[in-house]
Amino acid sequence: MRRTHHNVYELIILPLYGVCENSYLDYRHHSDELLELFIQPPYIEVPLWLMVMTVKKMPPHEANRFFELIRTKMDPIFRKSSYPLTAEQLLKLLVDALTESIY
């Protein structure tokens, strides 16, 4: 767990928020009731959850490879697609782009 917390801090928290590691580690000890007072919208909470869980389950270099793969697949989608995209359209385009890279 210590290594996971350190990896999450280095890869996500420090670049994103710029807080020191001790502040980040202290923040984890706040009660859930206190944290529930600061409701995050899904567009903030879900990407952070995804990044944390990816770093937790993968070595940092593999997590970086995964995020770079997603970025390289999303960039052409955003450049070529008409706007506004729906969630279903974006998911379909991403699945198509990822499927093309497998074959």
Side-chain angles (χ1 to χ4, degrees):
M1 285 180 59
R2 185 178 308 144
R3 185 178 61 215
T4 297
H5 290 143
H6 181 74
N7 289 342
V8 167
Y9 170 76
E10 280 193 9
L11 293 174
I12 298 168
I13 303 300
L14 179 61
L16 199 59
Y17 298 108
V19 299
C20 74
E21 189 168 11
N22 288 334
S23 296
Y24 161 65
L25 293 174
D26 290 343
Y27 177 76
R28 292 177 309 112
H29 298 293
H30 286 288
S31 68
D32 289 342
E33 293 82 20
L34 177 63
L35 295 177
E36 287 174 3
L37 296 174
F38 302 99
I39 306 262
Q40 296 295 323
Y43 70 89
I44 293 174
E45 184 177 352
V46 172
L48 287 176
W49 173 84
L50 175 63
M51 288 188 286
V52 167
M53 292 307 292
T54 302
V55 171
K56 185 176 181 178
K57 299 295 183 180
M58 301 172 88
H61 68 280
E62 287 296 323
N64 282 330
R65 285 184 58 214
F66 169 74
F67 289 123
E68 180 61 20
L69 172 68
I70 294 297
R71 188 195 64 76
T72 58
K73 296 301 178 182
M74 294 294 285
D75 191 46
I77 290 171
F78 289 140
R79 290 179 190 267
K80 292 190 279 186
S81 300
S82 60
Y83 295 97
L85 283 171
T86 65
E88 290 81 15
Q89 290 170 326
L90 180 58
L91 185 58
K92 182 187 179 315
L93 291 168
L94 180 58
V95 168
D96 290 346
L98 290 170
T99 303
E100 289 173 6
S101 67
I102 292 173
Y103 300 111

